[in-house]
Amino acid sequence: MNKDDCKALSHLATRARHVLETNIHPFWKEKLFNEQTQTFYSYIDQHGRPDTTHPLNAILLTRMLWAYSAVYEQSGDTDCLRLAEAAYKTLLNSFRDPLYGGIFYQIQADSTPLVLQKRTFAQAFSIIALARYAKATGSNEALLEARNTHELLLQHAQTVRGGFTDTLTRDWRDEADEHIWWMNSQGAPFIFNSQLHMLEAAIELQEAAPSEKGSNQIKDQITFILQWFLDCTNNHLFVSISDQAKPIDETINFSNELETAYLLRRAARLCGDIQRVDPLCTALVRNVMLLAQDKTHGGLFFSSHGQQGLNRCKVWYVHAEAMVALLDAYAATKESCFLNWATELWKFIEEHLIDWEGGEWFSSAKNPYTDEVSIQQQRTRDNRTGKEKASAYKCPYHTVRACLEINRRVNQLTTPAR
């Protein structure tokens, strides 16, 4: 590694630690938990004010559990351990389905279930969070909960070997009408977001408690992704497919592709399958960076829609995932272009996405484009996921993980081998 690369890596790690410790970490420790009621808020508006009228969503809770556990695991922060324990108890006491297992998607403040469907996306995140909590704390109970939910998904949601359907009824039946919801407006039987996070769930379980069965399951899921979702011609991933492996939506989701690149490598290492995915992972990152970069104003666009062109919104989680994917690609190839891209992207993050006064990151950077299409794209984005700081759609998972991963990967890259 040359001196310039070493210097750039050290700078990224220093800044990531600073952002985590002074901006992201305090927000999620101080703003989300009501000490008087010992409950979590479900919504924090863009000005940092809690709104208790919103129902609590499993995605926010499980991602907080994961984030608190991951920070505690890396730093030993006892405040995060306390919050992780509170989130864990909430998940078991309020979200766990006592009749059929798994978790509810959404509950009211009094813990009454609001959405009873078993959405694979939410079940996956409960596994991810429980496995990380178990790994960080040594909780056998949490590990058993994660395994039990995973077994239910293997039994009921894995409709093709390695492939998981998107949504089931409360009692785990697969009915086509249940597939239609805001993340799956076309009712596709397979959407990539659910598939990707089921892979991550298998990864977290395998890292918490390695087994031959877990390794084989990861191999099956990698195979399904490569055979069903991969557009081999363009090295991109379809966002949804039919039960006949036909693409339903050919949108290129930049965040999905960046996250996939490093999760596939992580998964493949766990099951000894790295040679099969290594070139693809690098190609995914390179292709996204060549297509998504805004060469005029900086940052990354949100997605590409064929003849409709680029969606120019610059959403926070795309940039967070890009930082991890770029360092992963740099570590695999030692090509300086990936590190250079990461350095430039981090500058954009600090200048346009981090809320230095209010804490955490803004949902998206201000859109500098004034054409009607771009204005409408931003309006649609804001209406869909809001401008809030914390909600079902604005969670600590991406920002916390980016900073933790930058620090961890830089340490690996710059520490001499013994």
Side-chain angles (χ1 to χ4, degrees):
M1 184 188 304
N2 62 53
K3 290 183 179 180
D4 288 341
D5 282 6
C6 192
K7 184 178 179 181
L9 286 166
S10 296
H11 175 74
L12 281 176
T14 299
R15 294 305 301 168
R17 284 194 299 272
H18 176 73
V19 169
L20 182 64
E21 293 168 3
T22 66
N23 174 261
I24 300 171
H25 201 181
F27 178 87
W28 293 101
K29 286 204 300 184
E30 298 166 10
K31 298 286 189 181
L32 269 294
F33 192 64
N34 186 328
E35 295 288 351
Q36 290 184 331
T37 62
Q38 292 292 293
T39 58
F40 287 94
Y41 293 118
S42 56
Y43 187 94
I44 306 292
D45 71 16
Q46 66 190 98
H47 305 294
R49 297 173 301 208
D51 184 340
T52 58
T53 64
H54 283 255
L56 183 57
N57 191 286
I59 302 303
L60 175 60
L61 183 75
T62 54
R63 285 177 165 181
M64 285 194 293
L65 174 55
W66 180 90
Y68 296 138
S69 301
V71 172
Y72 171 69
E73 182 184 21
Q74 189 172 104
S75 70
D77 186 301
T78 54
D79 286 333
C80 279
L81 174 60
R82 179 176 62 86
L83 289 165
E85 290 170 344
Y88 174 65
K89 290 176 183 176
T90 303
L91 183 63
L92 264 58
N93 295 337
S94 300
F95 279 90
R96 181 170 52 177
D97 185 341
L99 290 180
Y100 300 104
I103 62 167
F104 298 120
Y105 182 72
Q106 196 172 70
I107 63 171
Q108 292 178 337
D110 64 358
S111 297
T112 302
L114 278 178
V115 180
L116 304 183
Q117 291 172 314
K118 296 293 163 53
R119 292 180 178 170
T120 301
F121 175 57
Q123 307 304 317
F125 261 101
S126 73
I127 298 166
I128 291 165
L130 287 165
R132 181 54 67 103
Y133 178 77
K135 187 166 176 277
T137 65
S139 171
N140 290 324
E141 180 190 51
L143 183 59
L144 180 61
E145 286 291 332
R147 283 174 166 165
N148 287 344
T149 301
H150 195 241
E151 284 299 322
L152 285 167
L153 286 157
L154 292 177
Q155 181 181 351
H156 299 290
Q158 187 177 221
T159 56
V160 178
R161 184 172 179 175
F164 294 83
T165 193
D166 180 50
T167 306
L168 297 102
T169 62
R170 179 184 180 182
D171 58 352
W172 302 99
R173 287 176 291 110
D174 188 7
E175 297 182 358
D177 290 347
E178 300 289 332
H179 292 169
I180 301 174
W181 59 299
W182 77 270
M183 285 189 69
N184 187 6
S185 59
Q186 295 174 298
F190 300 104
I191 65 170
F192 190 75
N193 198 51
S194 294
Q195 192 67 32
L196 177 63
H197 292 302
M198 281 304 299
L199 178 65
E200 188 178 2
I203 290 169
E204 291 277 358
L205 269 179
Q206 185 69 358
E207 290 180 346
S211 69
E212 183 178 355
K213 179 182 178 181
S215 176
N216 291 334
Q217 179 62 38
I218 289 173
K219 281 187 179 180
D220 287 345
Q221 289 178 234
I222 292 173
T223 298
F224 181 82
I225 288 172
L226 298 182
Q227 291 182 349
W228 286 59
F229 277 100
L230 179 62
D231 177 358
C232 297
T233 303
N234 301 304
N235 274 339
H236 286 295
L237 297 159
F238 299 120
V239 298
S240 60
I241 53 176
S242 71
D243 54 10
Q244 302 298 315
K246 301 296 183 183
I248 294 174
D249 186 339
E250 298 188 27
T251 296
I252 299 174
N253 184 308
F254 298 140
S255 176
N256 273 356
E257 308 220 336
L258 292 163
E259 195 171 358
T260 299
Y262 70 83
L263 283 178
L264 268 182
R265 272 207 184 95
R266 185 176 159 198
R269 289 191 182 102
L270 288 172
C271 64
D273 208 9
I274 192 66
Q275 290 185 344
R276 181 160 63 135
V277 305
D278 204 45
L280 170 64
C281 294
T282 301
L284 284 172
V285 180
R286 194 189 309 276
N287 289 350
V288 167
M289 295 307 294
L290 293 176
L291 182 59
Q293 287 182 98
D294 182 348
K295 295 179 176 60
T296 303
H297 300 285
L300 300 177
F301 297 129
F302 182 69
S303 57
S304 176
H305 300 261
Q307 293 183 349
Q308 297 178 44
L310 292 162
N311 183 319
R312 288 177 168 172
C313 297
K314 295 175 183 174
V315 179
W316 98 98
Y317 61 81
V318 179
H319 295 75
E321 293 305 324
M323 290 302 302
V324 184
L326 287 166
L327 288 184
D328 187 69
Y330 174 77
T333 65
K334 297 302 185 293
E335 293 183 30
S336 292
C337 65
F338 293 111
L339 181 54
N340 293 339
W341 280 330
T343 301
E344 288 302 311
L345 197 62
W346 186 260
K347 290 179 184 176
F348 180 88
I349 289 170
E350 290 213 22
E351 292 175 5
H352 299 282
L353 281 170
I354 296 174
D355 183 351
W356 293 107
E357 294 183 3
E360 242 293 321
W361 297 14
F362 298 112
S363 292
S364 60
K366 291 182 179 179
N367 196 332
Y369 293 95
T370 57
D371 61 281
E372 188 56 40
V373 171
S374 297
I375 291 171
Q376 183 58 44
Q377 287 173 345
Q378 191 64 55
R379 187 180 296 123
T380 300
R381 186 83 240 161
D382 291 342
N383 289 339
R384 181 172 181 178
T385 56
K387 296 182 179 180
E388 67 270 12
K389 287 295 186 63
S391 69
Y393 318 114
K394 186 69 167 57
C395 310
Y397 170 72
H398 297 286
T399 53
V400 169
R401 179 165 64 175
C403 292
L404 290 177
E405 284 292 303
I406 290 169
N407 190 53
R408 185 183 69 81
R409 290 169 183 273
V410 169
N411 284 341
Q412 287 181 339
L413 287 163
T414 57
T415 300
R418 294 183 178 180

